PDB file of all heavy atoms in Angstrom:
ATOM      1  N   LEU A  61      30.411  52.907 -16.952  1.00 91.00           N
ATOM      2  CA  LEU A  61      31.335  52.543 -18.035  1.00 91.00           C
ATOM      3  C   LEU A  61      31.822  51.102 -17.884  1.00 91.00           C
ATOM      4  O   LEU A  61      32.031  50.413 -18.884  1.00 91.00           O
ATOM      5  CB  LEU A  61      32.504  53.519 -18.101  1.00 91.00           C
ATOM      6  CG  LEU A  61      32.114  54.914 -18.597  1.00 91.00           C
ATOM      7  CD1 LEU A  61      33.257  55.892 -18.411  1.00 91.00           C
ATOM      8  CD2 LEU A  61      31.677  54.871 -20.054  1.00 91.00           C
ATOM      9  N   MET A 127      37.048  48.454 -31.042  1.00 92.00           N
ATOM     10  CA  MET A 127      36.830  49.887 -31.208  1.00 92.00           C
ATOM     11  C   MET A 127      35.890  50.412 -30.112  1.00 92.00           C
ATOM     12  O   MET A 127      36.149  51.460 -29.516  1.00 92.00           O
ATOM     13  CB  MET A 127      36.245  50.194 -32.582  1.00 92.00           C
ATOM     14  CG  MET A 127      36.012  51.672 -32.832  1.00 92.00           C
ATOM     15  SD  MET A 127      35.065  52.009 -34.326  1.00 92.00           S
ATOM     16  CE  MET A 127      33.471  51.347 -33.883  1.00 92.00           C
ATOM     17  N   LEU A 128      34.816  49.675 -29.811  1.00 91.00           N
ATOM     18  CA  LEU A 128      33.882  50.094 -28.764  1.00 91.00           C
ATOM     19  C   LEU A 128      34.562  50.142 -27.400  1.00 91.00           C
ATOM     20  O   LEU A 128      34.372  51.085 -26.623  1.00 91.00           O
ATOM     21  CB  LEU A 128      32.685  49.133 -28.701  1.00 91.00           C
ATOM     22  CG  LEU A 128      31.669  49.259 -29.817  1.00 91.00           C
ATOM     23  CD1 LEU A 128      30.669  48.106 -29.756  1.00 91.00           C
ATOM     24  CD2 LEU A 128      30.949  50.589 -29.733  1.00 91.00           C
ATOM     25  N   ARG A 129      35.386  49.145 -27.111  1.00 90.00           N
ATOM     26  CA  ARG A 129      36.097  49.125 -25.823  1.00 90.00           C
ATOM     27  C   ARG A 129      37.096  50.271 -25.744  1.00 90.00           C
ATOM     28  O   ARG A 129      37.258  50.886 -24.694  1.00 90.00           O
ATOM     29  CB  ARG A 129      36.771  47.775 -25.624  1.00 90.00           C
ATOM     30  CG  ARG A 129      35.719  46.649 -25.452  1.00 90.00           C
ATOM     31  CD  ARG A 129      36.324  45.350 -25.081  1.00 90.00           C
ATOM     32  NE  ARG A 129      36.647  45.402 -23.653  1.00 90.00           N
ATOM     33  CZ  ARG A 129      37.454  44.539 -23.067  1.00 90.00           C
ATOM     34  NH1 ARG A 129      38.028  43.587 -23.768  1.00 90.00           N
ATOM     35  NH2 ARG A 129      37.703  44.622 -21.780  1.00 90.00           N
ATOM     36  N   ASP A 130      37.760  50.572 -26.853  1.00 94.00           N
ATOM     37  CA  ASP A 130      38.698  51.700 -26.881  1.00 94.00           C
ATOM     38  C   ASP A 130      37.959  53.023 -26.655  1.00 94.00           C
ATOM     39  O   ASP A 130      38.440  53.895 -25.925  1.00 94.00           O
ATOM     40  CB  ASP A 130      39.468  51.749 -28.203  1.00 94.00           C
ATOM     41  CG  ASP A 130      40.475  50.618 -28.356  1.00 94.00           C
ATOM     42  OD1 ASP A 130      40.778  49.932 -27.349  1.00 94.00           O
ATOM     43  OD2 ASP A 130      40.947  50.407 -29.497  1.00 94.00           O
ATOM     44  N   LEU A 131      36.788  53.171 -27.279  1.00 93.00           N
ATOM     45  CA  LEU A 131      35.994  54.386 -27.090  1.00 93.00           C
ATOM     46  C   LEU A 131      35.557  54.528 -25.635  1.00 93.00           C
ATOM     47  O   LEU A 131      35.583  55.638 -25.079  1.00 93.00           O
ATOM     48  CB  LEU A 131      34.762  54.377 -28.006  1.00 93.00           C
ATOM     49  CG  LEU A 131      35.024  54.648 -29.477  1.00 93.00           C
ATOM     50  CD1 LEU A 131      33.759  54.406 -30.301  1.00 93.00           C
ATOM     51  CD2 LEU A 131      35.530  56.060 -29.690  1.00 93.00           C
ATOM     52  N   THR A 132      35.169  53.426 -25.023  1.00 92.00           N
ATOM     53  CA  THR A 132      34.772  53.446 -23.618  1.00 92.00           C
ATOM     54  C   THR A 132      35.935  53.912 -22.751  1.00 92.00           C
ATOM     55  O   THR A 132      35.761  54.730 -21.842  1.00 92.00           O
ATOM     56  CB  THR A 132      34.290  52.051 -23.171  1.00 92.00           C
ATOM     57  OG1 THR A 132      33.211  51.636 -24.003  1.00 92.00           O
ATOM     58  CG2 THR A 132      33.825  52.056 -21.731  1.00 92.00           C
ATOM     59  N   GLU A 133      37.132  53.419 -23.038  1.00 93.00           N
ATOM     60  CA  GLU A 133      38.318  53.854 -22.290  1.00 93.00           C
ATOM     61  C   GLU A 133      38.580  55.348 -22.486  1.00 93.00           C
ATOM     62  O   GLU A 133      38.929  56.051 -21.534  1.00 93.00           O
ATOM     63  CB  GLU A 133      39.556  53.064 -22.742  1.00 93.00           C
ATOM     64  CG  GLU A 133      39.687  51.706 -22.118  1.00 93.00           C
ATOM     65  CD  GLU A 133      40.986  51.020 -22.527  1.00 93.00           C
ATOM     66  OE1 GLU A 133      42.037  51.688 -22.564  1.00 93.00           O
ATOM     67  OE2 GLU A 133      40.931  49.815 -22.803  1.00 93.00           O
ATOM     68  N   GLN A 134      38.408  55.825 -23.721  1.00 95.00           N
ATOM     69  CA  GLN A 134      38.625  57.246 -23.995  1.00 95.00           C
ATOM     70  C   GLN A 134      37.628  58.112 -23.231  1.00 95.00           C
ATOM     71  O   GLN A 134      37.997  59.151 -22.669  1.00 95.00           O
ATOM     72  CB  GLN A 134      38.510  57.521 -25.495  1.00 95.00           C
ATOM     73  CG  GLN A 134      39.652  56.984 -26.321  1.00 95.00           C
ATOM     74  CD  GLN A 134      39.405  57.156 -27.814  1.00 95.00           C
ATOM     75  OE1 GLN A 134      38.546  57.920 -28.234  1.00 95.00           O
ATOM     76  NE2 GLN A 134      40.158  56.435 -28.617  1.00 95.00           N
ATOM     77  N   VAL A 135      36.359  57.704 -23.225  1.00 94.00           N
ATOM     78  CA  VAL A 135      35.331  58.457 -22.502  1.00 94.00           C
ATOM     79  C   VAL A 135      35.681  58.481 -21.012  1.00 94.00           C
ATOM     80  O   VAL A 135      35.603  59.524 -20.354  1.00 94.00           O
ATOM     81  CB  VAL A 135      33.932  57.848 -22.732  1.00 94.00           C
ATOM     82  CG1 VAL A 135      32.916  58.403 -21.752  1.00 94.00           C
ATOM     83  CG2 VAL A 135      33.477  58.088 -24.158  1.00 94.00           C
ATOM     84  N   HIS A 136      36.084  57.334 -20.488  1.00 92.00           N
ATOM     85  CA  HIS A 136      36.446  57.255 -19.071  1.00 92.00           C
ATOM     86  C   HIS A 136      37.595  58.214 -18.756  1.00 92.00           C
ATOM     87  O   HIS A 136      37.559  58.945 -17.763  1.00 92.00           O
ATOM     88  CB  HIS A 136      36.823  55.823 -18.704  1.00 92.00           C
ATOM     89  CG  HIS A 136      37.089  55.657 -17.256  1.00 92.00           C
ATOM     90  ND1 HIS A 136      38.354  55.672 -16.739  1.00 92.00           N
ATOM     91  CD2 HIS A 136      36.246  55.490 -16.207  1.00 92.00           C
ATOM     92  CE1 HIS A 136      38.288  55.520 -15.438  1.00 92.00           C
ATOM     93  NE2 HIS A 136      37.029  55.412 -15.087  1.00 92.00           N
ATOM     94  N   LYS A 137      38.603  58.235 -19.601  1.00 94.00           N
ATOM     95  CA  LYS A 137      39.756  59.112 -19.379  1.00 94.00           C
ATOM     96  C   LYS A 137      39.330  60.581 -19.435  1.00 94.00           C
ATOM     97  O   LYS A 137      39.756  61.400 -18.611  1.00 94.00           O
ATOM     98  CB  LYS A 137      40.855  58.840 -20.405  1.00 94.00           C
ATOM     99  CG  LYS A 137      42.118  59.667 -20.158  1.00 94.00           C
ATOM    100  CD  LYS A 137      43.156  59.461 -21.218  1.00 94.00           C
ATOM    101  CE  LYS A 137      44.399  60.268 -21.024  1.00 94.00           C
ATOM    102  NZ  LYS A 137      44.279  61.585 -20.433  1.00 94.00           N
ATOM    103  N   GLN A 138      38.474  60.931 -20.390  1.00 94.00           N
ATOM    104  CA  GLN A 138      38.036  62.320 -20.500  1.00 94.00           C
ATOM    105  C   GLN A 138      37.218  62.746 -19.283  1.00 94.00           C
ATOM    106  O   GLN A 138      37.354  63.871 -18.798  1.00 94.00           O
ATOM    107  CB  GLN A 138      37.245  62.521 -21.786  1.00 94.00           C
ATOM    108  CG  GLN A 138      38.136  62.486 -23.013  1.00 94.00           C
ATOM    109  CD  GLN A 138      37.360  62.672 -24.309  1.00 94.00           C
ATOM    110  OE1 GLN A 138      36.140  62.631 -24.333  1.00 94.00           O
ATOM    111  NE2 GLN A 138      38.090  62.871 -25.393  1.00 94.00           N
ATOM    112  N   ILE A 139      36.368  61.853 -18.795  1.00 91.00           N
ATOM    113  CA  ILE A 139      35.580  62.167 -17.597  1.00 91.00           C
ATOM    114  C   ILE A 139      36.505  62.358 -16.395  1.00 91.00           C
ATOM    115  O   ILE A 139      36.365  63.306 -15.626  1.00 91.00           O
ATOM    116  CB  ILE A 139      34.536  61.071 -17.320  1.00 91.00           C
ATOM    117  CG1 ILE A 139      33.436  61.123 -18.379  1.00 91.00           C
ATOM    118  CG2 ILE A 139      33.933  61.222 -15.925  1.00 91.00           C
ATOM    119  CD1 ILE A 139      32.468  59.962 -18.332  1.00 91.00           C
ATOM    120  N   LYS A 140      37.470  61.484 -16.259  1.00 90.00           N
ATOM    121  CA  LYS A 140      38.426  61.579 -15.146  1.00 90.00           C
ATOM    122  C   LYS A 140      39.227  62.880 -15.242  1.00 90.00           C
ATOM    123  O   LYS A 140      39.394  63.590 -14.244  1.00 90.00           O
ATOM    124  CB  LYS A 140      39.354  60.372 -15.153  1.00 90.00           C
ATOM    125  CG  LYS A 140      40.276  60.323 -13.974  1.00 90.00           C
ATOM    126  CD  LYS A 140      41.123  59.065 -14.000  1.00 90.00           C
ATOM    127  CE  LYS A 140      42.077  59.067 -12.821  1.00 90.00           C
ATOM    128  NZ  LYS A 140      42.997  57.966 -12.843  1.00 90.00           N
ATOM    129  N   ASP A 141      39.714  63.198 -16.433  1.00 92.00           N
ATOM    130  CA  ASP A 141      40.465  64.440 -16.627  1.00 92.00           C
ATOM    131  C   ASP A 141      39.613  65.662 -16.288  1.00 92.00           C
ATOM    132  O   ASP A 141      40.081  66.608 -15.643  1.00 92.00           O
ATOM    133  CB  ASP A 141      40.979  64.559 -18.066  1.00 92.00           C
ATOM    134  CG  ASP A 141      42.080  63.569 -18.391  1.00 92.00           C
ATOM    135  OD1 ASP A 141      42.617  62.931 -17.458  1.00 92.00           O
ATOM    136  OD2 ASP A 141      42.387  63.416 -19.592  1.00 92.00           O
TER     137      ASP A 141
END
Side-chain angles (χ1 to χ4, degrees):
L61 290 170
M127 181 190 68
L128 286 171
R129 293 187 78 195
D130 290 346
L131 286 172
T132 303
E133 279 184 42
Q134 289 174 16
V135 167
H136 185 262
K137 184 184 179 326
Q138 288 179 349
I139 290 171
K140 186 177 178 185
D141 290 348

